[in-house]
Each structure stands twice: as structure tokens, then as C-alpha cells.
């Protein structure tokens, strides 16, 4: 296999050095994907995020077979919530008369305390469980780089390029790509392997990534990537 692979992408083909590229799988946690989880409680529609499990599994298995580095992230807090950005706690609290958020971070849900590390709902769905050799980043915020060791882990492995997947496109996927781009990583989001709670948000989020000669990076379809990795 060539050391650089190239796939069709927007705004132009994405070339990546396979030994220096990691797959980033953002927050494929039960709390964002399964019924009764934090996402659904927030008002998220689950159809698209659930449908993204299968193409994300295809992507994950292709990257594993190609010997690429794999990094999974999980959004969540320590049990005391001491690491929770205050904005996350404040803005989800019900304003007077607001019945939208009946339960908030740290409250007990059907899958344990919402978005709390160690709880069943906080962990990654069965289909996409990390292998022992893969990096798992627990992040307190939306982005993968704030208050985590991900930059050190990527640098230590010589990573310069990221293929990015996961949920939700409008939130943690986009925030992580923007954070990575500012740190010099070349990012390519994979259309079928990301999903959100609102299809208009997904479209807009992906469009913003590659607008203007790649404002934050690249966007590519899954199939061309599977073709070059196989
Ligand atoms: N709210 C929402 O759309 N997502 C999150 O809070 N976290 C992630 O995107 N992972």
C-alpha cells in the first residue's frame, strides 16, 4: 500500500499519510444514541444517530485493518461534576416554566447518572467498543482538546491527519474538528459516519467545514475511503 492515500473530498481531494493518520470516533455513547439517554432527554431525535452506528463500524473496521491509530472520545464528568464547565450546568437548568430539560447532567436516568464517567449510559455502544490497544479520551466539554490529553497522545504517535466520525455533527464533531484545525491537524469528516439530532444542522455543519477552500478541513464520503483502505 502507498504511504499516501488520496480520496475524493470537498473542497478538493484529501491526501493523507496512512502511518500518520488517526481515526477519531467522537462520543458514540449510549447517552447520545440510545432511548432514555441524555440526548433524547435534551430533545434530540435518535433516528439518524442510531443509523450512523453501522457506517461508523464499517469505517472503524477498515481503519483497524489498515493498521491505523484509533482514538475514541467520550463526553462526561467525574461523579462530583467538579470538572463540568459551568456553562453546561447553568444553561441546562430549567428556567422558570421551562419543562424542556426534565433531567440534567448528573441526574439519575434509565442508564445511570447522565453523562457521568463509569455509568452504563456514558460508555460507548456495544457495536463500537474500543479495543484494548486503542486510545480512549474522556473529555469534560464538547471539544476533544480542552482539558484532555489528546494533543499529547496524537503528538506522541506522530499523527498529523485525522479522519473524523461520530456524534453529534453539530456539536462535539464540529467543535473537535475546529479545535484540531487550530492545532495544525488536517481533518476530514466522513459524511455517512457522522450524524446529529437535526438534519439541517448536519448539512450546515459539514458545509461550513469545507467552505472557502477548506475553512476547517475536508469532507468525504465513506465509500471512496473504504475503497482505498481495502
Ligand atoms: N447536545 C448535543 O447535540 N451533543 C452533545 O451534547 N454532545 C455531543 O455532541 N457529543
Amino acid at each position: 500500500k502507498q504511504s499516501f492515500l488520496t480520496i475524493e473530498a470537498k473542497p478538493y481531494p484529501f491526501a493523507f499519510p496512512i502511518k500518520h493518520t488517526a481515526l477519531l470516533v467522537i462520543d458514540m455513547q449510549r447517552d447520545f444514541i440510545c432511548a432514555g439517554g441524555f440526548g433524547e432527554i435534551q430533545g434530540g431525535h435518535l433516528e439518524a444517530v442510531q443509523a450512523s452506528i453501522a457506517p461508523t463500524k464499517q469505517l472503524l473496521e477498515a481503519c483497524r485493518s489498515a493498521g491505523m491509530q484509533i482514538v475514541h472520545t467520550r463526553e462526561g464528568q467525574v461523579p462530583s461534576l467538579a470538572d463540568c464547565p459551568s456553562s453546561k450546568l447553568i444553561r441546562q437548568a430549567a428556567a422558570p416554566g421551562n419543562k424542556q430539560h426534565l433531567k440534567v447532567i448528573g441526574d439519575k436516568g434509565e442508564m445511570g447518572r447522565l453523562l457521568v464517567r463509569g455509568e452504563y449510559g456514558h460508555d460507548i455502544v456495544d457495536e463500537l467498543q474500543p479495543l484494548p490497544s486503542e486510545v480512549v479520551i474522556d473529555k469534560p466539554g464538547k471539544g476533544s482538546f480542552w482539558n484532555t490529553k489528546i494533543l499529547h497522545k496524537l503528538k506522541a504517535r506522530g499523527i498529523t491527519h485525522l479522519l473524523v466520525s461520530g456524534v453529534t455533527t453539530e456539536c462535539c464533531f464540529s467543535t473537535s474538528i475546529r479545535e484540531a484545525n487550530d492545532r495544525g491537524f488536517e481533518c476530514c469528516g466522513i459524511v455517512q459516519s457522522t450524524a446529529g439530532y437535526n438534519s439541517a444542522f448536519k448539512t450546515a455543519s459539514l458545509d461550513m467545514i469545507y467552505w472557502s477552500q477548506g475553512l476547517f478541513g475536508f469532507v468525504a464520503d465513506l465509500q471512496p475511503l473504504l475503497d482505498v483502505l481495502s
Side-chain angles (χ1 to χ4, degrees):
K1 202 182 286 294
Q2 289 176 311
S3 59
F4 258 90
L5 299 177
T6 305
I7 53 171
E8 277 310 310
K10 292 174 178 171
Y12 53 86
F14 181 65
F16 58 100
I18 192 141
K19 285 208 177 75
H20 301 285
T21 302
L23 170 65
L24 194 52
V25 186
I26 303 286
D27 297 6
M28 293 297 284
Q29 296 160 260
R30 298 185 183 104
D31 257 332
F32 293 121
I33 291 176
C34 299
F38 180 75
E40 192 180 47
I41 290 170
Q42 276 191 313
H45 298 287
L46 301 182
E47 294 81 9
V49 293
Q50 290 181 348
S52 77
I53 294 175
T56 303
K57 190 175 166 70
Q58 278 186 294
L59 173 63
L60 178 60
E61 288 178 349
C63 291
R64 282 174 174 161
S65 298
M68 288 171 51
Q69 298 281 345
I70 314 286
V71 178
H72 306 258
T73 69
R74 298 185 299 198
E75 178 180 347
Q77 319 306 143
V78 296
S80 69
L81 309 187
D83 62 348
C84 191
S86 57
S87 57
K88 278 169 73 173
L89 291 174
I90 290 166
R91 284 206 308 280
Q92 65 171 358
N98 179 359
K99 293 257 182 352
Q100 195 185 355
H101 294 166
L102 298 176
K103 286 185 177 161
V104 300
I105 292 170
D107 284 351
K108 189 122 180 65
E110 293 166 32
M111 296 184 287
R113 291 182 64 205
L114 298 171
L115 289 185
V116 171
R117 293 180 199 163
E119 302 288 342
Y120 182 75
H122 170 267
D123 202 8
I124 293 167
V125 293
D126 294 340
E127 296 89 333
L128 302 172
Q129 278 284 317
L131 297 178
S133 59
E134 295 170 356
V135 174
V136 178
I137 297 291
D138 279 314
K139 61 187 180 65
K142 306 301 187 190
S144 298
F145 289 76
W146 184 73
N147 207 358
T148 75
K149 294 252 191 301
I150 193 170
L151 183 61
H152 307 82
K153 302 269 186 193
L154 295 175
K155 290 286 181 190
R157 289 163 177 74
I159 299 300
T160 55
H161 290 58
L162 297 172
L163 302 173
V164 188
S165 65
V167 300
T168 61
T169 316
E170 59 270 15
C171 186
C172 296
F173 170 94
S174 290
T175 307
S176 294
I177 285 181
R178 290 173 180 213
E179 285 185 327
N181 179 63
D182 271 349
R183 288 157 179 80
F185 293 96
E186 293 287 353
C187 298
C188 185
I190 308 304
V191 178
Q192 291 75 21
S193 305
T194 181
Y197 295 139
N198 176 312
S199 65
F201 287 171
K202 173 172 173 174
T203 303
S205 298
L206 294 178
D207 286 353
M208 281 187 275
I209 289 171
Y210 67 79
W211 181 73
S212 185
Q213 289 303 303
L215 189 60
F216 304 114
F218 298 76
V219 172
D221 285 324
L222 174 60
Q223 192 57 52
L225 179 57
L226 296 178
D227 291 344
V228 295
L229 289 176
S230 67

